[in-house]
Amino acid sequence: MGTEIHLPPDVDRQRLLFGPNDSHFRLLKAELGVNLVARKGRLIIDGDEASVSRAITVVERMLEAIDKGQAYVAEEISTLMERHSEDAERTRASGVVFTDRLRITARTPNQATYINLIRDNSLVFGVGPAGSGKTYLAVACAVEALRYGEVKRIVLTRPAVEAGEHLGFLPGDMREKVDPYLKPIYDALDDMISRRQLMNYTEAGILEVAPLAYMRGRTLARSFVILDEAQNTTPGQMKMLLTRLGEQSRCVVTGDLTQVDLAGGDRHSSGLVHATRILRGIDGIGMMALTGDDIVRHRLVREIVRAYDRDENPDGV
């Protein structure tokens, strides 16, 4: 005897589930190798255990959508089946991130550890040099979490501390001033989400990219928050952002302690330095130190970073 699922009581919703001339069920049979029979208010699914499990998940998600007044077409059902297959792979994959456009694989052991820390902790600090993947991988994990329904929105933020420039002298309104400053984050998103989807997410408030000052006074529930360039926060700003986190939220804080642009360039005044010192060892907080060996940009970037490190620390201290 097969596995049974209760069907909606009204005929209209059943028709949406079955599809025109039972086309949805024929697709499930063809793609998953299962047999589906509707009988006395129940859907009976027969087949091997793995295929039945996939069919149940797809049908349940279709029923949830129908209950919300949505209808599926064949293409969307195929996407559901593909994502369920990726779900199973994702649970086994260490250091692999699934975004809408790319499957991103860690290129160093440290990067794989970083990805796993982000998945397993509510708050992660990723510290490392330029090109080590700390921001790119954090954005990828955020897109993945949104795709799989683990969060409802993504919030990407940076402190508006300029590296020798002044935003106030740039032309345009606040958005026009800030957008170029946040371009590295937009570049990462462009790799992972289509332009149309990116626009839809932004218009719907599912994706927000904003200066850190805009976070004050807010509560960010069911959000994936990324604070980039965190070496340029003060301890007060860092505390403000971390205390914005609401129910079922996650946060990744990234920064490079060799590029502090705070007044005087004193790394000890950085909120990132302060936070990683006082929050270390707290359950649910992960900390990852990426190194020059994790740099995956042009080969020369790694050599340039090492040369600057040698010059700034000639004694290796």
Side-chain angles (χ1 to χ4, degrees), residues 70-276:
Q70 302 169 8
Y72 272 95
V73 297
E75 183 179 352
E76 292 172 327
I77 295 171
S78 295
T79 300
L80 269 180
M81 288 188 283
E82 289 172 5
R83 288 192 176 179
H84 181 267
S85 179
E86 286 183 355
D87 280 341
E89 183 177 353
R90 181 174 177 243
T91 61
R92 298 190 300 270
S94 175
V96 180
V97 184
F98 297 89
T99 69
D100 288 356
R101 302 181 74 177
L102 294 174
R103 180 177 302 186
I104 297 167
T105 303
R107 295 172 64 178
T108 70
N110 276 346
Q111 288 188 351
T113 299
Y114 181 46
I115 290 170
N116 295 334
L117 278 175
I118 292 173
R119 284 179 173 161
D120 294 339
N121 293 275
S122 298
L123 172 61
V124 171
F125 290 87
V127 180
S132 58
K134 58 187 182 295
T135 301
Y136 190 86
L137 293 175
V139 172
C141 288
V143 172
E144 180 189 60
L146 180 65
R147 182 184 185 193
Y148 286 93
E150 296 167 5
V151 296
K152 286 188 173 180
R153 61 178 169 167
I154 299 173
V155 178
L156 308 170
T157 185
R158 276 181 157 191
V161 176
E162 307 90 352
E165 299 87 16
H166 298 283
L167 291 178
F169 291 101
L170 294 174
D173 60 20
M174 178 55 70
R175 173 157 189 157
E176 291 170 326
K177 292 173 188 285
V178 169
D179 275 1
Y181 184 68
L182 296 168
K183 193 173 187 304
I185 293 177
Y186 283 117
D187 288 344
L189 288 168
D190 199 42
D191 283 350
M192 304 168 196
I193 304 174
S194 70
R195 291 287 177 91
R196 182 183 295 274
Q197 188 72 293
L198 188 59
M199 185 180 301
N200 291 340
Y201 282 163
T202 302
E203 290 176 353
I206 295 171
L207 172 67
E208 180 180 355
V209 184
L212 179 59
Y214 285 32
M215 299 297 109
R216 190 173 300 277
R218 300 178 59 186
T219 299
L220 303 172
R222 291 210 63 185
S223 302
F224 196 118
V225 183
I226 297 176
L227 171 58
D228 192 35
E229 299 289 345
Q231 74 274 5
N232 290 328
T233 62
T234 65
Q237 288 174 320
M238 178 67 75
K239 178 182 177 182
M240 179 273 290
L241 187 280
L242 297 183
T243 54
R244 298 305 93 205
L245 298 181
E247 185 179 357
Q248 298 181 50
S249 283
R250 295 155 66 180
C251 180
V252 180
V253 177
T254 67
D256 179 355
L257 292 177
T258 68
Q259 297 191 29
V260 176
D261 296 317
L262 294 169
D266 181 11
R267 58 176 286 172
H268 296 292
S269 65
S270 167
L272 180 59
V273 172
H274 181 257
T276 52

